[in-house]
Amino acid sequence: MTSRRDFLRVSGGCVAHVLLSSACASSGTRHRWTAPQQPVVVTTPFAHLDAIGPDTWAVISTPLGGDRTTFGNGGIIAGRAGVIAVEGFYRPAGATWLAERARELTGRWPTHVVLTHYHLDHAGGVQGYARDGSAAPQLRSTAVTRTQALGGGPVAPVKDASLERAFADVVVVDATRTSRIDLGNRVVELIPLRGHTASDLAIVDENAGITFAGDLLWNGMFPNFVDATPPQLIASMTQLAARSRHAFVPGHGGMADRASVARYLDLLGDLGAHAGRERAAGRTAVEAAASYRLPASLGEWMASKTGLERAMTAWWRAPG
Ligand SMILES: [Zn+2]
């Protein structure tokens, strides 16, 4: 069930966006969207946890079944000196679930949590990593993500004392340069980017060939442009796509390879070209959305009228 909370708080957020975008899709399309491509180690009604590399697992959320415990994707990156949990998920139960899986798979509770951005479905459950009587993992986010996550805005987490506690000791990530978490036998890079929001982080292990792209990358689901700046989004994704041999964990949808990332960039390029033509012809963003047709060559993308209008509105805001 979709609660009143979901729709009132996040009508512009990724939760309502994903539900709207998928509303008219066939059951085959909905199923294919999150179908596993890697060995699955755990399956639940809300997500599967896939082994995607050495001591690295991706949470691929399956929210179209109705259980929205995690809602967005995330994962676990484990090393000798620590374990990074990627994302705070939608509900605290999602974060707790991932921490318990980390303990099963690696023998330890996460030592670090990294947020890719502030949206409710990525940060809303971050307090679920806390444990009674034990140290909580060290939270890392950019200053903008912290401010927005605690700002109580329409697509931000529900602000309460437990959320404030989770952010109380946050280690702020420098948004002007790449920073690193040294896990002993592997180094994980936090790459500051922009485009899905004013401050996004990609989480990269170059040696393992793995990139957690957050919502800079969507796979098979039309992206949510509610906070997006399209020219920055395209620049950020183009930069990440240069890691062409990486396995990419998108913010939403199944694992993405080089072809899926190229298809996504083609979608963004096609939207930008359409926006440019329509603006030049003096039309409004809503008119441009109405006349847009997703090219069949780009494959299956679940999309909604609202999502297309939001995309065109973003291009009208920042034409690039
Ligand atoms: Zn988002």
Side-chain angles (χ1 to χ4, degrees):
M1 283 295 292
T2 301
S3 72
R4 192 162 171 273
R5 170 184 184 266
D6 288 347
F7 268 107
L8 286 183
R9 287 200 53 84
V10 296
S11 58
C14 296
V15 176
H17 172 84
V18 164
L19 301 180
L20 263 181
S21 301
S22 62
C24 296
S26 71
S27 63
T29 301
R30 292 163 66 96
H31 183 74
R32 276 192 295 281
W33 180 51
T34 50
Q37 296 150 37
Q38 316 265 353
V40 174
V41 294
V42 181
T43 302
T44 73
F46 53 85
H48 47 86
L49 190 63
D50 304 356
I52 60 167
D55 295 324
T56 312
W57 297 267
V59 176
I60 303 295
S61 287
T62 54
L64 303 186
D67 186 329
R68 296 168 197 144
T69 302
T70 47
F71 202 90
N73 296 337
I76 300 167
I77 306 170
R80 269 203 299 273
V83 176
I84 299 172
V86 178
E87 300 290 36
F89 302 103
Y90 185 38
R91 299 189 191 284
T96 306
W97 170 80
L98 186 64
E100 287 169 349
R101 301 295 75 74
R103 190 169 51 193
E104 276 174 14
L105 291 163
T106 73
R108 62 200 293 188
W109 199 260
T111 54
H112 299 78
V113 176
V114 182
L115 301 180
T116 62
H117 66 296
Y118 79 95
H119 282 158
L120 169 60
D121 50 325
H122 299 261
V126 70
Q127 58 271 52
Y129 289 111
R131 284 182 301 169
D132 286 344
S134 304
Q138 182 191 83
L139 179 62
R140 296 204 187 190
S141 82
T142 67
V144 171
T145 292
R146 176 184 59 183
T147 303
Q148 296 281 347
L150 295 173
V155 296
V158 179
K159 189 175 172 181
D160 63 12
S162 66
L163 186 76
E164 288 183 328
R165 259 197 313 280
F167 274 93
D169 297 320
V170 65
V171 173
V172 171
V173 173
D174 188 339
T176 64
R177 61 177 184 83
T178 295
S179 54
R180 289 171 179 80
I181 299 177
D182 187 346
L183 295 179
N185 56 331
R186 68 196 296 187
V187 174
V188 174
E189 294 183 332
L190 313 183
I191 302 177
L193 294 163
R194 293 179 299 171
H196 176 65
T197 67
S199 182
D200 303 295
L201 273 184
I203 299 155
V204 174
D205 183 330
E206 289 293 357
N207 284 331
I210 287 162
T211 295
F212 287 85
D215 279 4
L216 292 167
L217 175 62
W218 293 60
N219 194 9
M221 174 79 63
F222 193 82
N224 185 7
F225 285 86
V226 64
D227 281 338
T229 308
Q232 292 176 352
L233 175 63
I234 291 170
S236 293
M237 248 342 276
T238 302
Q239 182 184 329
L240 291 180
R243 295 167 169 82
S244 58
R245 292 210 302 274
H246 279 212
F248 286 85
V249 185
H252 301 273
M255 290 294 295
D257 57 9
R258 171 197 227 149
S260 319
V261 171
R263 187 172 81 109
Y264 173 72
L265 278 170
D266 285 347
L267 170 66
L268 297 181
D270 194 62
L271 286 165
H274 180 75
R277 282 191 301 269
E278 295 293 291
R279 276 174 68 89
R283 283 189 272 276
T284 66
V286 172
E287 287 166 346
S291 65
Y292 184 70
R293 298 289 172 269
L294 269 156
S297 60
L298 296 181
E300 266 179 351
W301 290 90
M302 289 182 268
S304 72
K305 179 169 174 280
T306 305
L308 285 168
E309 288 178 359
R310 216 174 266 144
M312 287 300 128
T313 302
W315 256 283
W316 258 245
R317 223 170 30 227

